[in-house]
Structures are given as structure tokens and as C-alpha cells.
Amino acid sequence: MASGRKAVEDTDDRDSSIWVLDQQLDQPMEEEARRIRNAHQEKEHSVFKILQLAFQSLGIVYGDLGTSPLYVFYNTFPDGVENTEDLIGALSLIIYSLTLIPLIKYVFIVCKANDDGQGGTFALYSLLCRHAKIGTIPNHDHSDEKLTTYSCSKYREQSFAAKTKRWLEGHRVKKHAILVLVLVGSCMVIGDGILTPAISVLSAVGGINVGRTKISNDVAVLVAIVILIFLFTMQRYGTDKVGWLFAPVVFLWFILIGGIGIYNICKYDNGVLRAFSPVYIYRYFKRGGKVGWISLGGIMLSITGTEALFADLSHFPVSSIQIAFTVVVFPCLLLAYSGQAAYLMKNPNYVAGAFYHSIPDSIYWPVFFVATTAAIVASQATISATFSLIKQALALGCFPRVKVVHTSKTFRNQIYIPDINWILMVLCIAVTAGFKNQSQIGNASGTAVIIVMLVTTCLMTLIMILVWHSHWALVLLFTWLSLLVEGFYLSSVIQKVYQGGWVPLVIATAFFIIMYTWHYGTAKRYEIEMHTKVSMAWILSLGPSLGLVRVPGIGLVYTELASGVPHIFSHFITNLPAIHSVVVFVCLKCLPVCTIPEEERFLVKRIGPKNFRMFRCVARYGYKDLHKKDDDFEKKLFDSLFLFVRLESLMDGGSSDSDVSSLLDPQNETVTEFPLNTLNSTCSSMEFTNLCTADSIQLANSPLNQNQIMAPSNQANHQTEIDELEFLVSCKNVGVVHILGNTVMTARRDSSLFKKIAIDYVYAFLRKICRDNSAMFNIPHESLLNVGQTFYV
């Protein structure tokens, strides 16, 4: 027994020593990240710029919300108006719905929870992931927190926020519950991206058949389908060239509906203004009973577009969004709904197409044209929000790899996703042709919108606790009021599931299965790679040649691991007789941040002794960043690698951080760019000293010395640096090979039925139809080497 215990202790000691060795030879990159310069500055806008952006936001943000008057009253009273007093009650509900949800909740509260200007459910989720470790893929590293865009809070040990954080991080079930909540909200936004173009365009085109030109409903549906096909076909060209028209069109639309509202109030019945008293809401429900309660589903359409308001936040500061809503959107919408109610008080039989009936004859066709154009703009805003959401989900590992095209060189957020575009078009046309009327499409849209709002409320509750550190009483008040109002709407919408409300549920379910299964497979693959990574002791036992022939060239081994040697590498060197002279493990890591400054993108670290010539490079991206073409990526990677060798030499030579900082400060005029391809054996020490570019890693926390170029204190060390740089450049000139792992995952025989279906069928099918990693990384085919491996889960 004693000898057995001694053997176990010896084994434990050996395992412990190997672990310590791994940590010593492949340490985290906290030190490298600490030295990166804080170059990010918050943008400040002048008053004139704020007003200009407020005007531009009308076309991008408020198109969907602004076109709601086309169909709200018809969907509220699909069977006609039996009592004109019901119009006052419905108008009162619309007024206070617009006040409580878009104005107070979203414009003045939710919009402040943006992630560096980005809105939507994934932006909120990213914000939460930085303040609490709730991500389901455990790739968090302390070096990431050194980023200038990686904002996170520290809590007092006994604070409510700290307790909430510990409660969320305590169990995987809670982390998965938050992820499921985010995915549900995101899938409903996608569903809304299908339904909003359908109802907006169909409602606008329906004006042709309102008392002016008698055509059949089928013809109106056909015209709407033609417009939708044109809209989706033009997505590939982007909105950069015509985007400047959006704001004037929507601004004109708001002025027209506001003016028509004033005209109708003055002409027909100014008594509708008493709807500003909430007492009429009570009377409406008392008089209508269950019918009045069910009609909430139609009234809720007056706030559709509110979720798109938050999702389309990208280019505008919160102050411009608030000014545009309070000065233009909110008053014009109140006037438009009040004007329609005044018209219907005298003409209750014209509730179908109430907006078009209420237009004065002299301006009918100009308003019809503007309405149709505004409906197209509103549809464009929703489609763009869907593309943006898919891009975020793709970056965070929640959607299969699809092609993302950036349609504008000026605005990075203007993107086009071909596969998603055609899916949206087919489904949108199917909904339009299948229902053929506004009522059922309105029921479907209402279901999607209210679920997104409920998800936003739940996430905002956590944001207020973890990010804003709000007092628990304020959190409780916000959550209670939001759930109370939205809960009433949800209870009404549920009653209309069989009248069209099932459509977004089916669409969202399909997208949820895709997104959750893909994320599940991604998380499992990462988990397996973490458990199968190679011991550093084994690498060292092979010697500097790694037991193989080291051929000239550089091998870039792509991995998802930011630490350790991936299993793919051991699989590679045990099956092939040669390996490149220089090996760089490249980790493309997406962080829960909007964007990462270019000068902070790359972290470089040496693995093992110098004569092994193995490095690690972590390329960090935010969910809005664009992974550029391979030649540009290679250039910046090698710039960072060469710079690392130079910095390592300076530090080994006894130079201080301030010496290195003076050398690399971008304001130092003596530091110039030196093209790597001109390096040769005749390079002087001055040329090597100047080896740095504007895109390279920069070190912080030092004063500027514009007249100083630091040379290494040790001549031998300096010569070693020159030799290594020459060797690296010669290898680069020979050729660069990209080594990718072609991982196949299969469920074990003893796995559950759910896992077998998820991994062997759904995930395998998605991997088969999605883009390859080589296409996503823009790797040329002649430089690609795939290494196959199978993982059992």
C-alpha cells in the first residue's frame, strides 16, 4: 500500500511538473497586452453635427415605426367600428403605448445600453459577457481585458451586482438560459425582418384600391410582390448610393402625416384630443371586455419598429436618436393617429384603409407615392437590421459560416449577406402571397415584436444591475412596469396565434434550431480541442527539429486555442516527415466587443526555446470587424512577428519599457516604416532599429523622446536578433503555407438521441452547406493544406 501511494505521489508530482513547464514555456499574453497603447478615444460631436445626424437617423432608424399608421386602426377593428367611443379608447391606448415603450423605455433607457454604438440583442449579450463570465465557450483570457474597447466593471464584494454576477456564473444552466433567451430574441428579429416588408409594402400598395382606382386585391398583392422582388434584388448594391435619399423621404413622410392629422382634427372632430386622458383606456376595456382586450394585438402594431430602432443604432449617437424622436417622430405620430381617429368618428365604415380615406383628394397621389417610398425605406431598415444581427451571431459562433459582403467603403456597417437575402425574399413573398391581407400579417408581426421586447426587458434588467450598478428599487420599477405593459400585449397576441401569429413562431423555431445547434457544435469542438492539446514537455522531447526535417518556409497553423499546442499539430507531425522551419500558431479570436483598434489586434508570443522557432499570434476581432483579404492579413501578421523579435531583443538586452516606448511611439519622427521584403544580409543596424510599422504593436506608459533611437545594450544579443530576423525573412520569401484542421465531429454510440440528431445530422448538414474556413479566411488554394481529424463527442 505504501509503495502504491508513493507511485501515485510520484505520478502527481510528474504531472504537476509538466503543468508548471507548460505554464513557463507557453504563458498567457497578459504582459504583451498590457503594453499595447491606449489609442481609443470617445468621439465628440458638435451641436450642428448632432442635429445633422438626428435628421439622417430618420431614414435609417424610424422608417418602420413611421409607417405603422398605414395599418394600425384596420388591425385594431378588423370587423368594423361598432361604437365611436371605442376609437377614443383605442387612440388613448396608442398614445400611452408610444409614450411608455418607444419614448421612455427605448429612446431614453435602452438606447443608453448600446455596446459602443451597437444595438440589438447580441450587443446586449456581448455587454453582459464582458461584465460577467456567462459565455458558453470558455475562451476568455485576462489579456483581452487590456483592450481599450473592452470595458468591464469591478464590484464591491457584498454588493448586489457582485452577488448577481456570482449567481450567474455559478452554473452552466444559467449561462445557457441567457444564451437561449438571446437566440429567441434574435430569431424573432429575423422573423420581423420577413414580416415588416410584407405588411409595409402591402399596406402602402393597398392605397391604389381605396376609392380611387378599383382593382382587385390580387392585383394589389401582385404589385406588392414585384416591389419586394425589386427591393431584395437591389440589396447586393448596398444603400451607399441612394442612402442619402432615405432621410428626406421619411422626413417628408412625417411632415405629411402630421399635417394631414392636423387637417382631419380641425375638419372632423377635435374632441378626439380627450384621448390624452388615460381614463378612456379604463372605459374602453370596461365597455369592450374580451373583445377590447384582444384588440390590443392591433394597437400594439403602433409600436412595431421600436426593436428595429435599437438594432439600427449603429451610426448615430444616442443624443441624435433622442432629438429626432422627441422633435419629429413622436409628435407627428400622435397627430397622425389623432387625425385618423377624428376622420373615423364621422366615417366609421371606412376603417379599412383609414389612412388613405382620410387624405384630402388634392394631394392623394403625391401622398400615395411618398407612402410607398417610405414603406420601401422602412423595409430596407428592417432588412439591414437582420443582416447586422446575422453578422453579430456569425462572429460570436452562433450562426453557420456565410458570405458577408461589405457594400460600402465608407460605412463598415453596411453589409449584404447573399444567402440570407434570398431566404428572406422567398419567405417574404410566401407570406405576402399566402395571407393576401394586412390583418393576418399584422397578427404575425405583433407576435414577433412583443417577444423581442420581452427579451430586451430581461436583458436590460441584467444590464442595469451588472453594468450600470443601478439601485435595486430602480431595477425593480423598470422591470415591473415593462413586464406589466408587455405582458398585457402578449396575453392578447397569444389569442391570435391561429390567425397568423403562428408564422413568426415557425420561422423563429427553424432559425433557433440552426443557431443553437451550430453554437452547441462549436462549443463542443472547442472543449475537445482544449482537452486534447499537446503537452509542451512532449514538444520539447522532440528537440529543435521536432523529430522531422525542417524545410524552408513558414507554416501558419490555424487554431481556436489562444494557449497550448493544438492536437492538429501533433497529428500533422506524426503523419508527415517534414515541417516548416518556422511555425506560427494563429488564433483568430472573436471577442464580445464591437470592434478592436487595428493597432491592438495582434498579440505575438514565442513558444518554447528560441531555436525551436515556434510562435503564437492571436488575431483579435470584434463582432463588427472585417477580416480582410489574406495578403493584408499576412502583412500585418508578419509585421507584428518581426516587431516582436525586435522588442524581445531590446528587453533581453536590459532596455526598459520607456526605452522601448520611445522607439515605438507613432509620434516619434525617427521611427519609419521599413519594408520587410527588402531585408537582406547587408542590412545595417540602423535599418533594423527602424523595423516597425504603423500597424504594429505599440507599447504604453512612457514619455516621448523624439531624438532617441535605442540600440541594444549587448552587441551579441543584437547580432542574434539580426540573424533571427534575416532567417525569418528568408523563410517568408520561400513561401507561406496555411495549415487548417478539417475537423469532423461524430456522436459516440452511447450518446443520447438528442446529441446524435444534433451532431450527426443537423450540425453535419450545416457544416456541409456552409462556407469552408479557407473561404472565410480568404486563403488562396495553392497555399492551403488541410489536415483531417475526427472527434467523438
Side-chain angles (χ1 to χ4, degrees), residues 21 25 534-550 565 569 573 578-583 585 607-614:
L21 180 65
L25 294 176
V534 182
S535 168
M536 204 65 219
W538 181 75
I539 295 291
L540 292 177
S541 67
L542 299 177
S545 67
L546 299 179
L548 305 170
V549 177
R550 300 295 291 264
V565 178
F569 184 68
I573 63 178
I579 189 65
H580 300 87
S581 298
V582 178
V583 177
F585 296 100
I607 299 179
K610 285 188 176 183
N611 58 353
F612 276 62
R613 304 200 190 281
M614 295 171 60

Side-chain angles (χ1 to χ4, degrees), residues 511-560:
F511 275 97
F512 178 82
I513 291 173
I514 292 172
M515 295 173 77
Y516 187 81
T517 304
W518 184 263
H519 183 80
Y520 176 76
T522 302
K524 282 294 180 183
R525 189 175 71 245
Y526 184 86
E527 182 181 325
I528 292 173
E529 289 197 7
M530 281 292 293
H531 285 95
T532 58
K533 63 182 181 180
V534 182
S535 168
M536 204 65 219
W538 181 75
I539 295 291
L540 292 177
S541 67
L542 299 177
S545 67
L546 299 179
L548 305 170
V549 177
R550 300 295 291 264
V551 298
I554 296 181
L556 301 182
V557 182
Y558 288 82
T559 174
E560 295 185 8

Side-chain angles (χ1 to χ4, degrees), residues 187-208:
C187 292
M188 287 298 173
V189 172
I190 297 174
D192 191 45
I194 296 168
L195 297 168
T196 293
I199 191 172
S200 297
V201 174
L202 186 59
S203 300
V205 172
I208 299 177

Side-chain angles (χ1 to χ4, degrees), residues 232-233 236 416-427:
F232 283 101
T233 303
R236 60 181 298 184
Y416 164 65
I417 305 178
D419 299 334
I420 301 300
N421 182 67
W422 303 125
I423 292 174
L424 292 180
M425 186 186 77
V426 171
L427 293 176

